[in-house]
Amino acid sequence: MRKSGFASALLTILHASSFPYSSALTTLETNNVLYGRQNNLNWEPCWGDRDATNRPFTVTCAQMAVPLIHRDVPLESDQEVVILYIVKLSPNGGATSGTIFTTPGDPGGDGRSLLLGSVGWKMFNITQGQFDIITWDPRGVGESQPKTNCFNSTADSIPDPVNSPAWQFADRLGMLNSLECPSSGPSQSDIDSLYGRAPQVDAYFKSFVDNCRQKNGVHLEHVGTVYNVFDLLAIANKTVGDTAPINFWGFSYGTLLGQYFMSMYPNRMGQFVLDGSTRCKLAAMGNNADEIRQAVNGLLDRAYQPNVQPETFSKSSTKLRQWLQSAAGIPSAWPQAAEAISYFQQTLNTTSRRRSVNLQRRAPEMRGDSFEINIPGTYIATICGDLISNVNYNTTNEVMKEIVRITKEQSNVFGPDLSALFETYCHLWPIRSQERLKGQFSPEELKPAKPVLLIGTSASVGIPFSNAASLQRGLNSASRQAALIRHDGVGSNSFAMPSVCTQEIIRNYFINQVVPQDTICGVNFIGFPDRSNPSATAPSSIISAPLSSTTDLGGSKNGAGQLTIGSPFRLLLLIALGAITIPQIM
């Protein structure tokens, strides 16, 4: 999730005009089972949990009805509701320090996959099994009902996402609205080709919107970040009590949700964390950074297809750029991603252009809980529904001009593929959430009841460290209300590249409520393990250093001999392309 500012600290509810379509939502009166369970959630094994044994914790799920329209009133039998799917991770020995709430990192992500996957293990280990951890499938997502469905299929997201209608929609949209060009940058012919596809983008997206409105009705007006905050509060009231402080750990989009919560319910805040070798296979392409960079540029040039068509899109430079962008934020999958890109090179050399190349299948580690496809309907309904207006862009031509500008001025590697940001299509999405924050705000307006722990990665893909630094400056303008950790790794949050230093700070903050000094933490990470020495591990400890206003944000404070992201065999995005932050246009 890429963010371009902050939501308003002063909550002003906007009431949109009535929705022209009928509701498909249930009521408590027609759902007697849930109505009878409202006072006591019925925790049961989660759907799809295939690894329930031999874990130091148990994951259970429950259904909970919340009002379609939150008005802080008790549920009534004839009231329309949304059924949320609640997920709880509980230490087998029992939680001794309370409960931590979290949320999926992007709108469209589901909480069940989050806690049943690697994130659940990481949160459990970092907090030493002293907390229950609770999340949920947000409105329209996963097992929550009703589920957003914008396609002519009930399976928006299936175990093999490459074959899902949602994936195919995003792939086609990316082809239409991307700037196909060689490594040297676009020619005027490439630019004209992009501009010429604007009517196709508009028509294709309009058919998607029409399908969404027809299939989902009023539900789309009741999806958004304000509703997610309302639902978080309702879940917390039900599980820990309506006066208990709420501990929260947010990642990526979850950090924005955390800021909304701080704005709306500051007095309910508890502890808040906002968290934004063998040689690499690609090393065979060269012996140093310059050689690899030249080889990768050559690969982009060979993949370049003027006037790319759907049947050859899988071998285009645009598709390769999309893959590089996806791989950048998932360090644990770098070896597999590198092999997939190497395979891409081989297919360009040995097979027909018209033979499909499926990089996603070549690197299955890029899927699962670390690389989920978001359901476009829920994702777009949230990020566009939160807006007051169309903000920066009123037409697709304006978006395309910005893509060209960024490609020329900032990055000819990632700039051409900024179409991957669904935010750029909000001018084509006419639906706004009935409850959203009005106006923009500066962080100075936030008044958290307790100090917040902010974590920013120094090499984040799409979410720059400056976002966390700016938020801290605002929170600290009146009094010290935020501590900042610069996590010297790659990825949108500190989980992408683990750090003992960062983990110890988080653990101490949650368990002992210790607010740290601003700190730089190095990482414990081996990007490309040495297969001849599989027992090799990253250093067990990392030297940390104070973070000050004079600190060089590009430097490393790790001890000598410790592995950092500056190692010779880091992913080609860092070594060959020299880019660690994707340009932002929102």
Side-chain angles (χ1 to χ4, degrees), residues 456-471:
T457 53
S458 57
S460 174
V461 179
I463 305 176
F465 176 80
S466 58
N467 281 7
S470 175
L471 179 57

Side-chain angles (χ1 to χ4, degrees), residues 327-381:
I330 313 173
S332 61
W334 283 356
Q336 294 77 25
E339 293 203 17
I341 295 168
S342 178
Y343 171 76
F344 183 92
Q345 178 187 31
Q346 295 170 23
T347 60
L348 287 180
N349 294 336
T350 61
T351 65
S352 166
R353 274 282 187 190
R354 291 184 177 272
R355 182 176 175 182
S356 176
V357 177
N358 197 324
L359 289 174
Q360 198 67 19
R361 297 193 193 285
R362 298 295 301 183
E365 292 80 0
M366 297 288 289
R367 302 204 298 263
D369 63 278
S370 62
F371 187 73
E372 298 172 359
I373 179 170
N374 294 312
I375 299 174
T378 303
Y379 188 101
I380 295 172

Side-chain angles (χ1 to χ4, degrees), residues 8-222:
S8 172
L10 300 176
L11 179 62
T12 304
I13 301 298
L14 298 179
H15 299 283
S17 59
S18 60
F19 201 83
Y21 298 91
S22 62
S23 169
L25 297 171
T26 186
T27 66
L28 284 181
E29 188 172 28
T30 60
N31 200 323
N32 294 326
V33 174
L34 285 173
Y35 184 64
R37 292 180 179 176
Q38 276 308 292
N39 291 328
N40 295 291
L41 296 179
N42 185 29
W43 297 101
E44 298 175 338
C46 296
W47 178 86
D49 186 359
R50 300 180 179 87
D51 190 29
T53 60
N54 300 319
R55 287 190 309 216
F57 54 82
T58 301
V59 181
T60 54
C61 292
Q63 291 179 306
M64 175 179 167
V66 295
L68 171 66
I69 303 174
H70 281 272
R71 286 291 181 268
D72 294 326
V73 297
L75 286 175
E76 299 174 356
S77 61
D78 62 347
Q79 188 173 353
E80 286 188 323
V81 297
V82 174
I83 310 302
L84 299 178
Y85 196 67
I86 318 299
V87 189
K88 178 171 68 172
L89 185 154
S90 302
N92 290 343
T96 59
S97 298
T99 299
I100 296 172
F101 294 88
T102 189
T103 185
D106 272 334
D110 67 285
R112 182 176 58 87
S113 296
L114 190 78
L115 290 191
L116 288 178
S118 62
V119 172
W121 276 96
K122 291 172 182 176
M123 295 183 74
F124 172 85
N125 288 331
I126 290 173
T127 57
Q128 296 182 330
Q130 296 194 32
F131 291 86
D132 286 333
I133 300 170
I134 293 179
T135 187
W136 73 101
D137 290 358
R139 296 179 178 219
V141 176
E143 298 304 304
S144 290
Q145 298 297 329
K147 183 174 180 177
T148 303
N149 178 19
C150 293
F151 301 93
N152 297 320
S153 167
T154 57
D156 277 9
S157 182
I158 57 179
D160 183 4
V162 179
N163 285 330
S164 74
W167 185 281
Q168 293 167 4
F169 163 78
D171 208 46
R172 171 76 172 173
L173 197 61
M175 185 203 76
L176 291 173
N177 201 28
S178 292
L179 177 60
E180 178 74 3
C181 65
S183 63
S184 58
S187 66
Q188 188 58 48
S189 176
D190 296 327
I191 295 171
D192 291 342
S193 178
L194 172 65
Y195 292 164
R197 292 194 295 273
Q200 297 179 64
V201 171
D202 290 349
Y204 190 59
F205 200 89
K206 183 180 184 300
S207 67
F208 165 75
V209 173
D210 290 344
N211 232 19
C212 286
R213 299 181 80 166
Q214 180 180 9
K215 290 178 175 294
N216 300 281
V218 71
H219 169 62
L220 295 176
E221 280 193 345
H222 300 284

Side-chain angles (χ1 to χ4, degrees), residues 179 321 403-404 406-407 411-419 583:
L179 177 60
R321 285 179 167 97
I403 290 173
V404 171
I406 288 177
T407 299
S411 173
N412 61 6
V413 175
F414 292 128
D417 187 43
L418 288 173
S419 62

Side-chain angles (χ1 to χ4, degrees), residues 442-481:
S442 64
E444 289 83 355
E445 295 179 89
L446 290 174
K447 304 297 181 185
K450 301 183 68 174
V452 178
L453 177 58
L454 306 176
I455 301 172
T457 53
S458 57
S460 174
V461 179
I463 305 176
F465 176 80
S466 58
N467 281 7
S470 175
L471 179 57
Q472 186 204 32
R473 286 193 295 271
L475 291 171
N476 287 349
S477 61
S479 60
R480 186 170 187 270
Q481 291 296 312

